[in-house]
Amino acid sequence: MAPVMLKGKNYALLIGGIVGLIGLACYPIIVHPMLYPEEYKKLQRVNRAGIKQDEIQPGNMRVWSDPFKPREEDKR
């Protein structure tokens, strides 16, 4: 049996379905957190309540800071 070649409307439905599934999969991962960041910030505060980031930072590395602010040790 020869493979079926999709043409016209059926091809458009296949491509549209694939793009739709990718979009549907991306919504809860990418779009929702960007639209409602307060919910995720609240979850981070609750989940990291008892953690002191300075104590668990590996290799004596600095804790992440805003790259556009001057470092504390640079303020003289």
Side-chain angles (χ1 to χ4, degrees):
M1 187 178 225
V4 177
M5 295 297 292
L6 296 176
K7 294 181 182 177
K9 180 176 66 171
N10 289 336
Y11 183 72
L13 286 173
L14 175 69
I15 298 301
I18 291 171
V19 170
L21 284 174
I22 292 171
L24 190 63
C26 288
Y27 179 79
I29 299 168
I30 299 170
V31 177
H32 190 267
M34 293 182 85
L35 292 176
Y36 306 103
E38 304 83 28
E39 179 181 339
Y40 294 91
K41 288 178 182 180
K42 179 182 168 190
L43 284 170
Q44 288 292 337
R45 278 194 300 272
V46 170
N47 290 337
R48 297 179 180 186
I51 298 175
K52 294 181 183 173
Q53 197 171 1
D54 292 333
E55 294 176 1
I56 62 169
Q57 189 71 14
N60 295 328
M61 296 173 69
R62 287 188 322 116
V63 176
W64 184 90
S65 60
D66 187 353
F68 298 105
K69 287 173 97 175
R71 292 183 181 175
E72 292 298 323
E73 59 264 13
D74 289 347
K75 292 182 181 178
R76 294 180 191 168

